[in-house]
Each structure stands twice: as C-alpha cells, then as structure tokens.
Amino acid sequence: MIETYISFVDNFKYAKAAITQARGKPSFEKYYNRCCRDHRNKLDLDSLLISPIQRAPRYELLVKQLIKHTPTEHPDHEVLLRAQRHIHNLAVAINQHKEAHEQMEQRLREIEAIVDGLDDLVSTGRNLVRYDMVQMRCRGDEKRQRCVFTLSDQLVLTSVRRKNPMKNSRLITQSADFLDSNRFKLIIKISLDDVEIAKDTLKVLQETEQTIDVAREDEKVIRKVIELANLIKGNKE
C-alpha cells in the first residue's frame, strides 16, 4: 500500500505535465472545459490529482484532534494513538522518499548536463547506480578509456578526457571532482533489457579473446596467401 502511494507521489508532477501538454491540443482542451462545465460542483482534474497527496497530513491532523477530545481511559484512545503513529510514519516515509527522489533527479540532470549529446536522462523510476572507468579495445589493438554510467534501466557509455591535460593522466572515479574535472561525450546508450549477464564473465572474456586471436592469425595467413598469389601472377605475366 505504501509503495503504491509513494509511486503516485513520484508520478504526480509527470501527470501534471502530461495534462498541461494535453491541454495544448484544442480537442482535449474543448473536452476538458466541457467536463468542467458539466460538473461544476465537483473537483477539477488538478484538484483530484493532488487530493491523495494531501490525505496523509490531513488524516494526521484529524486523528490528533480526535485524540485531543478522547479521554485517556476510553478504549479508543490507545487505538487512536497507534493510528496517529502509523499515519505519521507514513508521512515521514513519503517525505524522505520524495527528497531522495528529488536528489536523484537533480543528480541525473547534472550528468545529463556534463555529457555531450546526452538528453532525456531524467525519467520516472530511473536511478543512478554507479559510474566506472573501463578500458575498451577500439581499432586494432588500441585501448581507450571509457566511462560507463550504470543506471537502473540502462547503460550509458561515454568517452572521457581531462579538461586540464596538464594534470595527472590517471582518471580515478572515486575522486570527488571526477565529474567536474573531465569532459564526457556520449558514445551509446544500451537498455538493460538488451544486456545479457554472463554467469562466468572471466571465462567468456578469455574465450572471446582466444577467438579473436585465432581470427587474427587466420587473417595473417589469408594476407600471405594473397601476396603469394599476386607474386605468382606477376611472374607469369
């Protein structure tokens, strides 16, 4: 129940934004105004949306008033005290979750701002799990440093280079100024739905490297054969 309520609170401003966007369409605005006229004595859509959010603090105030006017020897007094504690704990949990959600949203906006080419990072339920430096093999045997931002629903791979090249070239993600002291450019975003987690990652990597080595040896042999064929062809001519 609490999870459902918190989810509603999280989505409240997105629902408000969706309504505002929808009202920008003449057909919806016409329908919206007609509903308001037909139900003048009822709450409008905005009021209905915010009502559940206002319920917890209102219920707590109501129960406090009931406790105030209920004698301590009355059998309902202890029940009301328990109810007041539960409602208060719910309100505290909602506020804490809301603050954490806002902090995470701000964190995502900061990352979106520093990664060139990255947009639409802020999304309902999306969290930043961590970010790490990795080495990836690019063209040939060249290895380059990349930064991987691991989110709750996707991976974001970026290039990374120092803003001040005079500083130590070693990049440490644990440093407090890592994000501020480097430049990032989006390479690719990958949904976690498209990622397959291998049970034995090391074994898979070793097998992959062996396959690549074999392919490289085969490539060398093929090139040698082509060179010999061209040489034989040239001698015949």
Side-chain angles (χ1 to χ4, degrees):
M1 180 63 182
I2 293 179
E3 289 76 11
T4 302
Y5 193 88
I6 288 176
S7 178
F8 183 90
V9 173
D10 284 346
N11 283 282
F12 172 73
K13 68 177 181 179
Y14 297 107
K16 287 269 294 180
I19 293 173
T20 301
Q21 183 179 3
R23 292 190 65 179
K25 299 179 180 179
S27 57
F28 183 86
E29 179 68 8
K30 183 178 179 180
Y31 171 76
Y32 181 87
N33 291 331
R34 178 165 59 82
C35 289
C36 290
R37 288 195 303 270
D38 294 344
H39 304 279
R40 292 181 182 276
N41 298 325
K42 297 182 180 180
L43 296 175
D44 60 17
L45 190 54
D46 288 338
S47 299
L48 287 171
L49 273 177
I50 201 170
S51 290
I53 296 177
Q54 296 173 334
R55 283 291 180 264
R58 285 182 178 178
Y59 286 156
E60 185 174 9
L61 291 174
L62 176 61
V63 172
K64 283 182 177 180
Q65 288 297 314
L66 289 173
I67 293 173
K68 182 179 178 180
H69 295 89
T70 301
T72 55
E73 64 274 10
H74 195 283
D76 289 344
H77 189 269
E78 182 60 32
V79 176
L80 289 170
L81 288 175
R82 289 201 302 269
Q84 192 269 329
R85 285 195 297 269
H86 284 305
I87 296 172
H88 177 75
N89 291 338
L90 173 61
V92 170
I94 291 170
N95 287 334
Q96 290 176 343
H97 181 84
K98 185 179 179 182
E99 290 176 2
H101 178 77
E102 290 174 350
Q103 290 174 0
M104 179 56 66
E105 184 176 298
Q106 178 61 29
R107 186 65 165 160
L108 292 175
R109 292 193 187 281
E110 290 172 357
I111 292 174
E112 185 178 297
I114 65 174
V115 177
D116 185 24
L118 181 61
D119 54 14
D120 298 329
L121 191 62
V122 178
S123 179
T124 305
R126 177 174 292 163
N127 297 310
L128 173 67
V129 179
R130 59 184 294 161
Y131 51 87
D132 302 275
M133 288 298 303
V134 297
Q135 272 198 341
M136 298 187 67
R137 182 173 292 170
C138 300
R139 292 182 294 272
D141 290 330
E142 182 183 5
K143 292 183 179 180
R144 292 187 179 181
Q145 290 183 314
R146 303 298 189 209
C147 186
V148 178
F149 293 88
T150 304
L151 306 172
S152 54
D153 63 335
Q154 65 180 211
L155 298 176
V156 176
L157 179 67
T158 74
S159 61
V160 54
R161 61 187 179 88
R162 284 197 175 278
K163 292 180 180 178
N164 184 358
M166 300 301 294
K167 288 187 176 182
N168 185 358
S169 60
R170 187 181 179 188
L171 298 170
I172 304 175
T173 54
Q174 290 81 7
S175 62
D177 64 341
F178 173 75
L179 295 179
D180 293 330
S181 60
N182 294 287
R183 300 181 188 277
F184 303 86
K185 186 173 182 179
L186 177 67
I187 296 176
I188 191 173
K189 289 192 295 186
I190 305 172
S191 171
L192 289 184
D193 292 335
D194 300 326
V195 176
E196 182 178 349
I197 306 298
K199 292 183 179 179
D200 191 347
T201 307
L202 180 59
K203 182 179 178 181
V204 172
L205 289 175
Q206 290 174 340
E207 291 176 351
T208 302
E209 288 182 352
Q210 290 174 0
T211 302
I212 293 173
D213 290 339
V214 171
R216 284 177 178 160
E217 290 299 323
D218 291 343
E219 182 185 12
K220 291 179 181 178
V221 172
I222 292 172
R223 286 182 178 178
K224 193 66 176 177
V225 170
I226 292 174
E227 290 176 1
L228 291 173
N230 290 334
L231 182 61
I232 294 172
K233 182 179 179 181
N235 291 335
K236 287 183 177 180
E237 292 176 352

